[in-house]
């Protein structure tokens, strides 16, 4: 749509990755082309890259205080500034390779949040198959029984406290 005399909004078609010229038509058919003698250096290009695919997220739960790292495997993590969005909170991803990124979990309230991986300059996002990323309270230990053991290990200790959860690997 027309935003002003100087700007229009266009939706890109499905096309192959690479650099593509951008042309505009008033009637949807007669696209402005460069004259035959004109240089392609005068053209305006857009770079198109493959859409991000998310395959595995580990872990799928974190403590609500933030700071832990989520490992996301998939395909086409080809931008330097890929972002992970936990609900409405975005964090910059560390791109390890085109198939692996790491995202530091932000501090948010406890609950379930959609997790999306987004690319800069794109309004498209790749939501996960299971869109709920769980934020939970950090467990608190108030006491242990027995309170002593031997240096040889192998002691069984029962911890008392709160915010224990089967969603987290407790150790």
């Amino acid at each position: 749509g027309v935003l002003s005399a100087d700007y229009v909004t266009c939706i890109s078609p499905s096309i192959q990755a690479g650099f593509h010229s951008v042309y505009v038509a008033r009637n949807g058919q007669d696209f402005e082309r460069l004259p035959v003698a004109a240089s392609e250096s005068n053209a305006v290009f857009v770079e198109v890259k493959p859409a991000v695919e998310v395959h595995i997220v580990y872990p799928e739960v974190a403590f609500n205080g933030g700071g832990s790292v989520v490992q996301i495997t998939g395909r086409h993590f080809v931008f330097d500034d890929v972002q992970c969005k936990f609900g409405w909170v975005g964090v910059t991803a560390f791109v390890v390779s085109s198939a692996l990124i790491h995202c530091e979990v932000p501090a948010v309230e406890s609950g379930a949040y959609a997790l999306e991986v987004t690319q800069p300059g794109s309004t498209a996002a790749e939501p996960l198959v299971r869109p709920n990323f769980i934020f939970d309270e950090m467990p608190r230990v108030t006491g242990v029984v027995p309170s002593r053991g031997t240096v040889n290990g192998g002691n069984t200790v029962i911890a008392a406290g709160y915010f224990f959860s089967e969603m987290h690997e407790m150790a």
Side-chain angles (χ1 to χ4, degrees):
V2 176
L3 299 177
S4 71
D6 299 319
Y7 297 97
V8 294
T9 302
C10 302
I11 297 174
S12 64
S14 177
I15 54 178
Q16 290 184 325
F19 288 91
H20 297 275
S21 299
V22 176
Y23 299 102
V24 176
R26 291 176 191 252
N27 63 3
Q29 295 177 358
D30 300 322
F31 290 92
E32 175 188 333
R33 301 277 183 198
L34 293 174
V36 174
S39 165
E40 279 293 313
S41 65
N42 294 334
V44 176
F45 292 93
V46 64
E47 183 180 13
V48 177
K49 294 188 177 183
V52 167
E53 293 177 22
V54 174
H55 298 160
I56 299 170
V57 175
Y58 183 81
E60 293 180 345
V61 295
F63 298 117
N64 62 358
S68 60
V69 175
V70 174
Q71 179 174 289
I72 301 174
T73 58
R75 291 179 34 173
H76 308 305
F77 301 131
V78 293
F79 288 95
D80 291 334
D81 49 354
V82 173
Q83 279 207 332
C84 294
K85 283 180 66 180
F86 296 86
W88 62 93
V89 181
V91 297
T92 301
F94 175 72
V95 179
V96 177
S97 71
S98 64
L100 176 64
I101 60 174
H102 292 165
C103 293
E104 185 173 329
V105 175
V108 296
E109 296 291 322
S110 294
Y113 292 79
L115 172 56
E116 294 179 332
V117 177
T118 61
Q119 302 178 103
S122 173
T123 54
E126 173 64 23
L128 300 177
V129 175
R130 295 175 307 280
N132 290 333
F133 189 88
I134 306 296
F135 286 89
D136 206 358
E137 294 284 340
M138 177 70 87
R140 310 265 193 257
V141 176
T142 57
V144 293
V145 175
S147 60
R148 53 185 100 145
T150 67
V151 296
N152 296 334
N155 305 300
T156 299
V157 177
I158 298 174
Y162 47 98
F163 300 130
F164 296 150
S165 171
E166 291 181 10
M167 289 188 292
H168 300 281
E169 293 178 11
M170 298 295 215

